[in-house]
Amino acid sequence: MSVRDRQGQGRIEARFAALKAEGRAGLVTYICGGDPDPETFQTLFDGLPAAGADILEIGMPFTDPMADGPTIQAGNLRALATGMTLVRLLEHVKAFRATDDATPVVLMGYYNPIHHYGAERFLTDAREAGVDGLIVVDLPPEEDDELCLPALRSGLCFIRLATPTTDDRRLPAVLANTKGFVYYVSIAGITGAAAPTASLVEAAVARIKRSTDLPIAVGFGIRTPEQAAEIARAADAVVVGTALVGKVAGALDGEGRANGRLVGDVLGLVRDLAGGVRNAR
């Protein structure tokens, strides 16, 4: 199988098939691209799979990440302050792919920077860099012609979010052009705002699974290994972001620079979360 054949949906499908064979849920980790500086970010990016991350969700820095809480908003601003751009972020993905051709990489963000970059040019460059999927939270299904359908034609997965307010009438539209997996937002609100209720998540995952064969990843508000384990009993994957970006913020010195503990602190939390997910069933 060539690198291109393994890319996109193939790489994500292969990872979820492996997780199913192992009888466990996966861990999806979110970190903000370029946070807190390019060198530290690349070290974190490269170290996540060995720490236990199964799929890597990388934030595309943006000045107005309206679905994200203050912790991830601050991560976006730190990255932008060090000069992070989409062009530079794709260079980081290329560098990651030089040593890891198996771990799926999904870019998460908002449409404004992609529109500014040029949608077709962005899809081509993302594919060439080694990206497998996109989560673009502010493009609804009614705008699929804008980016979703071109992304699917280029071989990239387009991963849609379903929320507690996505009812049975809306769900078919959300699922129609979703590829790779469905991202279920476990709470109503922004990232990191509250902790999910496991029983409600279990019921929501079961309801979505009646309408799709795609894996269901659950995120928003999951911070601890114990919470991750609870969610992993029902979901196909657990997404953790705010807790990791918070670890980055907690390991900065008075001038906002990474101290010597940052990489160890973040990857240590990933190892703990992975342990919770792997021992959940």
Side-chain angles (χ1 to χ4, degrees), residues 12-73:
I12 294 174
E13 280 186 346
R15 182 52 51 98
F16 276 107
L19 293 171
K20 187 175 182 180
E22 293 178 37
R24 68 173 178 90
L27 175 64
V28 183
T29 55
Y30 170 97
I31 58 173
C32 189
D35 180 31
D37 61 73
E39 294 75 19
T40 305
F41 165 69
Q42 189 71 57
T43 302
L44 289 173
F45 195 172
D46 294 343
L48 286 167
D54 297 293
I55 295 175
L56 310 186
E57 183 186 342
I58 304 296
M60 296 179 280
F62 180 45
T63 53
D64 187 21
M66 71 285 286
D68 292 301
T71 300
I72 292 181
Q73 289 178 19

Side-chain angles (χ1 to χ4, degrees), residues 189-253:
I190 55 178
T191 56
T197 301
S199 60
L200 296 179
V201 169
E202 183 177 358
V205 169
R207 181 172 69 88
I208 296 171
K209 279 184 172 292
R210 287 195 289 271
S211 299
T212 182
D213 292 329
L214 289 169
I216 313 296
V218 176
F220 280 44
I222 303 165
R223 292 175 175 273
T224 68
E226 293 76 17
Q227 289 174 322
E230 277 195 319
I231 301 302
R233 294 184 185 108
D236 298 296
V238 178
V239 188
V240 180
T242 297
L244 299 176
V245 178
K247 277 290 183 185
V248 172
L252 301 175
D253 65 19

Side-chain angles (χ1 to χ4, degrees), residues 176-207:
N177 291 313
T178 295
K179 300 292 180 188
F181 61 90
V182 179
Y183 189 138
Y184 179 67
V185 175
S186 61
I187 57 171
I190 55 178
T191 56
T197 301
S199 60
L200 296 179
V201 169
E202 183 177 358
V205 169
R207 181 172 69 88

